[in-house]
Amino acid sequence: MTSVPDSLREAIVLGVDPGTRVVGFGAIALAPAGPVFLGCGVIKPRTGAPIAERLGHIRAELDAVLAALRPGVVVVEEAFAHRNVQSALRIGEGRGVVLSCAVAAGARAEQISPASAKKALVGFGAAHKTQVASMVQRTLRLEAPPQPLDASDALALALAWALRGRSPAARRGA
């Protein structure tokens, strides 16, 4: 990812799909002709590492992404009820690291539920990840869907936030 000058900071939106095993991230720039793809990827701590080590790795890698991109907004997947309590707690720990990194980097932290992001892009809150990736591809005019799916989910969060902010209903405060 290339560094972004201060003058463009507010136009940069970074979506983050949090976790403790894989963290997806995807960045777009808001432009008059529509969102522009800047890049995406994943952060993968060492498999089997203790949770504290994984969270530290995520923090260091995400800090580097934030320093390079200097986004004005970081959109994080909102917490949701999970069938496995231990898994929900781990995702919460990952979310905490992401939110903390965003604010420390001077970005505004926003949250969107997975269903809201899917509905904004696909029109259906229970859409499959591959459907979301396909719509991200079309919206950003990419040659192929972004991979892995954690990265396309992160781009979907950024796009959903951008669409929400530009819709007539959002401007009216509805």
Side-chain angles (χ1 to χ4, degrees), residues 20-92:
T20 57
R21 297 184 193 283
V22 178
V23 175
F25 63 90
I28 60 171
L30 303 178
V36 177
F37 175 73
L38 295 178
C40 66
V42 293
I43 299 168
K44 289 178 121 178
R46 184 174 58 85
T47 303
I51 186 65
E53 184 180 315
R54 285 185 286 168
L55 293 172
H57 178 83
I58 290 165
R59 194 215 85 235
E61 293 291 319
L62 188 55
D63 281 346
V65 170
L66 288 163
L69 288 171
R70 300 184 45 75
V73 178
V74 175
V75 185
V76 182
E77 187 175 86
E78 203 170 73
F80 62 96
H82 204 280
R83 281 180 265 138
N84 181 329
V85 174
Q86 190 64 30
S87 178
L89 289 172
R90 288 291 181 243
I91 291 170

Side-chain angles (χ1 to χ4, degrees), residues 13 28 30 73 75 108 110 112 120 157-174:
V13 180
I28 60 171
L30 303 178
V73 178
V75 185
R108 188 168 81 237
E110 297 282 346
I112 295 180
L157 291 167
L159 287 167
W161 182 86
L163 291 170
R164 176 189 285 176
R166 292 174 173 231
S167 72
R171 285 195 295 273
R172 285 193 310 270

Side-chain angles (χ1 to χ4, degrees), residues 15-16 25-28 37-40 121 136 140 142 146 150-160:
V16 181
F25 63 90
I28 60 171
F37 175 73
L38 295 178
C40 66
L121 284 179
V136 167
L140 294 174
L142 303 174
D150 301 284
S152 65
D153 284 351
L155 283 165
L157 291 167
L159 287 167

